[in-house]
Amino acid sequence: MSKQLLKGNVALAEAAIRAGCEAYFGYPITPQTELLEHMARRMIELNRVFLQAESEVAAINMVYGAAVAGTKVMTSSSSPGISLMQEGFSYIAGSNVPVVVIDVMRGGPGLGNIQPSQSDYNQITKSAGHGDFHPIVLAPATVQEAIDLTVLAFDLAETYRTLVIVAADGAIGQMMEPAELPPMRPKREKRPFWALTGAAGRPKNVITSLYLGADNLEALNNQIQDKLALIQGHEVRYDCYRMEDADSVLVAFGTAARVAQTAVDHLRQEGFPVGLLRPITLWPFPERPLRELAQQVDTLLVVEMNAGQMFHDVKEVVGDQAEVYFTGRTGGAIPTPDEIERVVHGLYNYYLDPDYSPVGVLA
Amino acid sequence: MISEKVVYERPVALSVNRTHYCPGCTHGTAHRLVAETIDELNIRERTILVASVGCSVFAYDYFDVDACEAPHGRAPAMATGIKRVSPDNIVFTYQGDGDLASIGIGEAIHAASRGENITIIFINNAVYGMTGGQMAPTSLIGQKTTSSPLGRDPKLSGTPLHIAELMAGLPGVAYSVRRSLHDARHVIQAKKAIRLAFEAQMQHLGFSLVELLSTCPTNWGVAPGEACDWVREEMIPVYPLGDFKVAEPLRARSQRGGQ
Ligand SMILES: Cc1ncc(C[n+]2csc(CCOP(=O)(O)OP(=O)(O)O)c2C)c(N)n1
Ligand code: SF4
């Protein structure tokens, strides 16, 4: 298959279809609407299940239903809708069923706006619902990667029987780029053994997140924690750019990482030895590579399209090993390479002249 | 020779399990009626139960069918997800009046409005049972509950919600009736309605709902016998029994609700 010019949202939808998505339930919200609209046409065409739900609350519970029935199922939304789905996420986590969710993030809080943002970082990596769990969170930086990570999301969801969130943003959802779609996977014929299919010739299957008694619920929690540890051990993904001889490193994901990469190129041309570490899995967070990196470089600058959410994770991992700074934009603004470069210049000046106060940098 | 004939036994669709329901609670009666129906229609091996949040949350322990447990009020959405991907399964929810008529009214109405081919067994006991007898949207005017200690005041909290009638107004609904579980005659009528509701689904006629007036002696603060009297004397005048929507193919066998 060859490359074609694809819009991010359409690419995400078509990638899900080719990865074997059997059912989609969703509710319209900008900037992910084209995703739902592509599903509306294609899923019906392919004789699969598409349903526009009455709300995100209903959508995620329809997804939960299709998941307990053992189908590959997904929904998509954007930040306010993701907030509404959190109750469902928690039940999905508490009952160990595979689900894929695509979050095309927009600016918040409140109704915010429909511009690209990364302000869901905390709510999807850390507080995706009540109780102790984390979804796997995959953050694409290009349309091609959005496709690849969506396919991976379905596989990880099945392997670990877990919730996987593809965290794109409005820029990735709306941009057009040349990308290659994977071939269509053949239809899966059999439902998994644990699924609710009717208790014919076997004892009944029950899927619940209710465990009365502290011992029972603690056993479930221990099992979930073991699973999360396994995921942390096996599924960390990240990308390094121009790390050779770097003494300062930018840390950024998704759209912010694309801008940071351009800034790195410019800074390198100017002679500043700067690299980029790009987490691809936001959870599990690339702790080990970051810790190792912190031993080699002096300064880390976290660049985000929020007020500094991943910044705290970087800071916690790095500790006193290196200086960690943050720069970012909120409200749906995307930082420019120029803005990032100015901050990096400031940091280098600061080292030459301790009286220099770096502008726009939060320590 | 003494010949023995079994006239009453545990339905196969009920698990061998002791329920946690209070003495005099008609949740158990409703379970039995549903289980008998599943047996009679020979659908146990393809039935999926969506249990809800309320006293019946453990229904999945009592029915010997594949089952799951939905978030509070979301059972019709979960049932929709299941039915859409598994149209050959028989899917039913079992929900209380806090679950369906309050927090889950949106999911219930939209499932009905889509004509979702599922069955809802709706238990109206005029209170939130599990959380200790708070007011429900179905509580009667003047009814004292733990959250309406002076009695339900319509100026403050509105008036009882009539779910069976409300659903009947939606074209997607094939069957919407109200029955009561307060005495043997009404239990038999309830059983017939439950059977028709499942048959509606088996015949792909659309959404079906049976509202069952049910007792909660514990939270009403009365003995089981008095609870049955309260259903007859207080609830039925507010919640008339009857058939509010019966799709044409079922009409010949519907009973006009009984009294
Ligand atoms: C989101 C959420 N809110 C509140 C509760 C607490 N809660 C548990 S059961 C219940 C009421 C159930 O009442 P009803 O549906 O009438 O069923 P019954 O117990 O009377 O059979 C409530 C409010 C909950 N579990 N989840
Ligand atoms: S509290 Fe009420 S509804 Fe719940 S089991 Fe007891 S009697 Fe039944």
Side-chain angles (χ1 to χ4, degrees), chain A residues 59-71:
Chain A
I60 193 64
N61 283 288
M62 290 171 184
V63 165
Y64 186 21
V68 301
T71 56

Side-chain angles (χ1 to χ4, degrees), chain A residues 272 298-299 323-325 342-359 361-363:
Chain A
F272 293 101
D298 306 320
T299 309
E323 299 284 335
V324 185
Y325 296 95
R342 268 208 304 268
V343 175
V344 174
H345 290 159
L347 287 171
Y348 277 99
N349 282 337
Y350 178 63
Y351 284 116
L352 298 175
D353 172 11
D355 289 335
Y356 177 86
S357 165
V359 181
V361 175
L362 292 174

Side-chain angles (χ1 to χ4, degrees), chain B residues 205-224:
Chain B
L205 300 179
F207 182 91
S208 52
L209 175 140
V210 180
E211 175 172 342
L212 297 169
L213 302 185
S214 193
T215 58
C216 180
T218 301
N219 288 303
W220 296 352
V222 296

Side-chain angles (χ1 to χ4, degrees), chain B residues 21-22 25 27 55 125 129 215-219:
Chain B
Y21 297 120
C22 306
C25 175
H27 264 307
C55 278
N125 59 13
T215 58
C216 180
T218 301
N219 288 303

